[in-house]
Amino acid sequence: MRRLRTILWLGLKELRSLAADPVLALFMVYAFSAAIYSQATGITYELRNASVSILDEDRSQLSARLRDALLPPFFRPPEPIGAAEVGPRMDTARDTFVLDIPPNFQRDLAAGRHPELQLNVDATAMSQAGIGAGYLQQIVAQEIATFLGRTETVPVALRMRTAFNPNNESGWFVGVVGLINNVTMLAVLLAGAAVIREREHGTLDHLLVMPVSPLEIALAKLWSNGLVITVATGLSLWFVVHEAVGMPIAGSVPLFLLGVALYLFFATAVGLLLGTAARSMPQLGLLFILVVLPMNILSGGNSPFESMPRALQIVMSAFPSTHFVAFAQAILYRGAGLDIVWPQFLATGGVGGLVMAVALLRFRRSIAQAVG
């Protein structure tokens, strides 16, 4: 009981220290509010306001129909251009698409010939280029079929049913991914900064002359920073992602927060390890870039995990960040319960406990070296 009281009071000291650091406190508030909202509303994977120009060398009724079919919000009003403008406009990224309608296109089509349309695509805008090219192909095919009075007949009718995100709102996806990434980043930074702050302020020496052990110091830092991150995650999920962005939460918020708490065993332990390796905040920042950013990018949140090379999938399966993304999306999007996500919970808790044991051992050795 004495050890538990010591860990409790040392953790409360960490909370007061965090509250007394206005820069770190404001950074936390920003990271779980404005940063997530701006990502969710500013980053979109849908086709929206794509710039398109038309080189109309036919000037027929059909070419006018094709021009009028490109409507907002998918496309901006098409601009008519000349042949000499195609290359410069594509080179300067003024247009994502340039549709070239050749001379006598309507006449050749009515005569049963097979004229060709040319669509120039700026593929540096990957999302809009891929989706927009498909949209343009469908629009052109539909307008030509309508103009010729034909109906498309296929032997099988495909009825698409979009589950969990029926309107394909990318803000729902980006908001949750931003929240998941910020949980990892803030947990690592807070735990690492707590160690470095003690060293820079000289308070670590004061702790060492008190009747407390390195294990108690480390556990106090872990639970206090983990509590702050868990509370901030719950508030951000509800007020920013759910209320401000408008994403419905399909599953249990307490179950998700339980998973967050399990994941924080790993994330705060990584921060503790980096804090013992770094001697200053700039060094911690460099280690953070080398360790945490690749872990976030390859966790399956920003791109499908299945699309990665098989060898990389095997390596990343050993990191709890991958399992964190998996159970977070399962709970929040698909309403999964504990009976479905328990394997991810088990993997996250197991690896997190192992990394925490290594971090505590490393912290103890660094304290012993400081004393020596």
Side-chain angles (χ1 to χ4, degrees), residues 50-303:
S51 56
V52 56
S53 294
I54 295 182
L55 173 57
D56 188 358
E57 299 179 285
D58 189 30
R59 299 188 181 279
S60 62
Q61 182 182 359
L62 178 56
S63 64
R65 288 181 63 120
L66 294 177
R67 182 185 65 246
D68 295 339
L70 304 180
L71 300 173
F74 302 120
F75 301 98
R76 296 178 187 172
E79 286 190 51
I81 61 173
E85 299 178 77
V86 175
R89 291 179 72 93
M90 294 290 291
D91 292 340
T92 56
R94 292 185 61 185
D95 293 320
T96 305
F97 305 100
V98 174
L99 181 63
D100 184 355
I101 304 175
N104 304 319
F105 174 71
Q106 177 178 317
R107 187 184 66 185
D108 292 343
L109 193 64
R113 304 186 185 95
H114 298 281
E116 294 183 350
L117 295 174
Q118 183 184 73
L119 179 64
N120 300 282
V121 183
D122 179 5
T124 57
M126 291 190 303
S127 178
Q128 285 200 340
I131 300 174
Y135 274 39
L136 279 166
Q137 186 176 14
Q138 293 178 11
I139 291 171
V140 169
Q142 182 177 356
E143 289 299 321
I144 291 176
T146 303
F147 179 79
L148 296 177
R150 300 173 183 172
T151 57
E152 298 294 330
T153 59
V154 292
V156 177
L158 178 64
R159 305 298 182 189
M160 185 178 299
R161 177 180 176 271
T162 305
F164 312 121
N165 188 358
N167 294 327
N168 293 320
E169 293 285 347
S170 61
W172 298 3
F173 169 80
V174 176
V176 171
V177 170
L179 178 62
I180 291 172
N181 289 341
N182 285 0
V183 166
T184 302
M185 291 191 292
L186 267 296
V188 173
L189 285 176
L190 286 182
V195 177
I196 294 177
R197 188 168 54 241
E198 298 278 13
R199 187 183 297 118
E200 290 180 342
H201 294 174
T203 53
L204 187 59
D205 297 333
H206 297 165
L207 290 175
L208 294 177
V209 300
M210 297 175 64
V212 294
S213 66
L215 178 63
E216 292 169 345
I217 297 173
L219 289 178
K221 294 183 182 299
L222 293 178
W223 83 254
S224 57
N225 288 290
L227 176 64
V228 171
I229 297 295
T230 303
V231 172
T233 301
L235 294 175
S236 179
L237 175 65
W238 187 261
F239 291 104
V240 179
V241 178
H242 177 62
E243 295 291 339
V245 178
M247 190 201 87
I249 300 175
S252 169
V253 174
L255 180 62
F256 170 70
L257 293 180
L258 174 62
V260 171
L262 279 176
Y263 176 71
L264 289 176
F265 278 98
F266 166 77
T268 53
V270 171
L272 191 64
L273 276 173
L274 297 183
T276 57
R279 294 292 176 240
S280 63
M281 285 301 294
Q283 288 185 11
L284 178 64
L286 292 176
L287 291 174
F288 175 87
I289 294 173
L290 293 176
V291 175
V292 178
L293 291 187
M295 189 171 62
N296 272 351
I297 293 173
L298 299 175
S299 63
N302 296 284
S303 61

